[in-house]
Amino acid sequence: QRRVHGSLCVLLIDCAMPAETASSTGVSFCKKLAANDKQTRDKAVKLLTTWLSKHPELTEKDFLKLWKGLFYCMWMSDKVPIQQELAEKIASLIHIVPEAAVQPWYSAFWITMIRDWDGIDRLRLDKYMSLVRYCVREALVWLRKQNWSEESVNQFNEILLASPLDVSKPHRGSGLSLHLADLFLSELSATSNTLEPSVLLRLLKPFLHALAFSSYRPLRERIQDKMLKSLLMEPYDSLSDTRNITEEMFNIASDPSTPDEYRKMLYALHTTFEAHDKTSQSQQQEEKKKKKK
């Protein structure tokens, strides 16, 4: 296979769906999604929306081929309003995919983004950043519909730890991991104004793991500043009680497997969160006293 992003000189021979999972019309979605003609691409997206719901047997391998087509569909999309509309349509497909196939669908999305992120030129970067934001948003909406079940959240966490937050490959698609850290808290806040402390901790665990084990300093700094420290300030201070996170940071900092060079930073964060928890508790007690009066 040969791929030259700039001119979309792509050999999409391997994009054709396997015969056993192809639609009755024999449409090769990947090729049509990457077509030069916008009308052809729009029809392919519309057809895919219907087709996905009827094929619960699809695997991650099948979804990787579809995501390749969707990636190039986005590549060919011009003008910001059209790009935004397409990004929203693509992101919403997670609600169309049969429930049993949501995890491999979401995994295939991240694998595709990681694989091709560093090949995106700066003129096209904004639309892919929007696509990632919308896909994260809809994934969180899907998790909310599952009542933030421990099993569902853990499955999504495994996907993040295997792709954008994979500490064993810190520089692969590094800009994507930074973008994820930038947007995650705002999208989570937009999805749910309040969360049970245990749920919030569970959602943040992949980022805490990256904070403790990633050798990529910009990512560690971004998680500290854009996520954890921001969590203590408006507008995120209403998300949830942070005492569980405070306790978890101490556990990670004191864990023998945590690299020694990161312990000081983790203990400092724990101290910051601990002070915030005490202040919040005092404020709550004062408010209760005022209400009694």
Side-chain angles (χ1 to χ4, degrees), residues 16 34 79 88-89 118 122 132 146 170 188 191 208 250 252:
K79 299 181 181 179
E88 290 179 2
K89 285 181 179 179
D118 290 335
R122 65 179 183 84
V132 170
Q146 309 306 308
L188 179 59
T191 304
L208 295 176
F250 180 83
I252 294 173

Side-chain angles (χ1 to χ4, degrees), residues 127-277:
K127 61 182 174 182
Y128 283 101
M129 292 177 73
S130 293
L131 176 62
V132 170
R133 177 178 290 275
Y134 288 135
C135 285
V136 170
R137 178 184 302 172
E138 294 305 324
L140 290 170
V141 170
W142 189 89
L143 288 173
R144 186 187 64 195
K145 290 179 178 178
Q146 309 306 308
N147 295 315
W148 307 105
S149 76
E150 183 174 357
E151 181 182 6
S152 298
V153 173
N154 287 344
Q155 287 176 345
F156 275 57
N157 285 350
E158 289 173 6
I159 292 169
L160 295 183
L161 290 169
S163 291
L165 299 178
D166 184 356
V167 298
S168 69
K169 300 172 182 176
H171 298 288
R172 185 187 63 164
S174 56
L176 181 57
S177 64
L178 296 178
H179 182 48
L180 175 61
D182 282 343
L183 66 85
F184 191 83
L185 206 57
S186 63
E187 293 305 323
L188 179 59
S189 179
T191 304
S192 182
N193 291 327
T194 58
L195 287 170
E196 290 293 325
S198 59
V199 173
L200 179 61
L201 174 60
R202 195 175 300 129
L203 287 164
L204 294 182
K205 274 194 172 183
F207 299 94
L208 295 176
H209 179 82
L211 181 66
F213 294 99
S214 176
S215 61
Y216 187 44
R217 183 175 177 178
L219 177 59
R220 298 198 311 274
E221 292 177 345
R222 199 66 62 91
I223 292 172
Q224 288 182 69
D225 297 334
K226 292 288 187 177
M227 297 190 71
L228 296 177
K229 290 180 180 178
S230 295
L231 193 62
L232 306 180
M233 301 181 288
E234 294 183 358
Y236 305 124
D237 58 348
S238 63
L239 256 181
S240 180
D241 187 332
T242 58
R243 284 176 292 182
N244 285 29
I245 298 173
T246 306
E247 182 180 352
E248 181 69 11
M249 277 194 286
F250 180 83
N251 293 337
I252 294 173
S254 58
D255 191 314
S257 66
T258 299
D260 290 336
E261 60 265 38
Y262 305 150
R263 289 187 195 280
K264 184 177 180 180
M265 170 268 295
L266 288 164
Y267 278 126
L269 275 172
H270 168 262
T271 300
T272 300
F273 268 72
E274 191 173 44
H276 172 268
D277 293 340

Side-chain angles (χ1 to χ4, degrees), residues 56-70:
E57 79 283 359
L58 295 174
T59 65
E60 185 177 286
K61 184 178 180 180
D62 299 323
F63 290 144
L64 281 169
K65 293 173 181 177
L66 288 173
W67 270 110
K68 179 179 287 187
L70 290 168

